[in-house]
Amino acid sequence: MHTRYITAAVLLSAAFLAGCQTGIGGREISSPVEGRWMSSDRVFVSTFSNGAMTTEDAKTGAQLATGSYNMAGPQTVEISWYSIATKQQRAATCTLAGSSSMTCRQPGASFTLHRV
C-alpha cells in the first residue's frame, strides 16, 4: 500500500519535470516556442512567453498585436491574436521545423517565423 503512494509521487514528479525544459544558462522554458521570433520578411517580431504573445513592428517597435498560444502537439502551435491595425481577431496553426523555424497557416495566408 505504501509503495503505491511512492510510485504515484515519483510518476507525478516525472510528469512535472517532463513538462519543463531547460534552456541556455539553465533558464527554464515551458514550451519550444518561448522567446522572440521574427517574420521571414523581417516586418514584425513576436514574443511568446507563458502562453501570451505580443507582436511589434520590427523597425519602429510599435505594438501590432496581442494574443495567446498553446501547444496542440509536440510540433504544433495554435496562435490566436487581436490585430490592432485591423481591429480583428485572427488565428493560425503553426508547425515547428526544428528549434529555430516555424511555418504558420491561417485562412488564405501563411507566414514563417525564425527564432531571433
Side-chain angles (χ1 to χ4, degrees), residues 66-80:
T66 60
S68 61
Y69 70 94
N70 70 306
M71 296 301 298
Q75 272 99 23
T76 304
V77 184
E78 292 177 341
I79 305 172
S80 176

Side-chain angles (χ1 to χ4, degrees), residues 46-64:
S46 294
T47 302
F48 295 85
S49 178
N50 296 317
M53 185 270 306
T54 58
T55 300
E56 301 172 345
D57 182 287
K59 289 182 183 174
T60 67
Q63 189 171 24
L64 301 175

Side-chain angles (χ1 to χ4, degrees), residues 19-21 29-35 48 50-51 69 71 77 115:
C20 299
Q21 296 178 2
I29 54 176
S30 61
S31 81
V33 296
E34 293 281 307
F48 295 85
N50 296 317
Y69 70 94
M71 296 301 298
V77 184
R115 189 175 295 280

Side-chain angles (χ1 to χ4, degrees), residues 4 84 93:
R4 272 193 202 158
I84 293 169
T93 300

Side-chain angles (χ1 to χ4, degrees), residues 9-23:
V10 169
L11 289 175
L12 285 173
S13 297
F16 175 77
L17 291 173
C20 299
Q21 296 178 2
T22 304

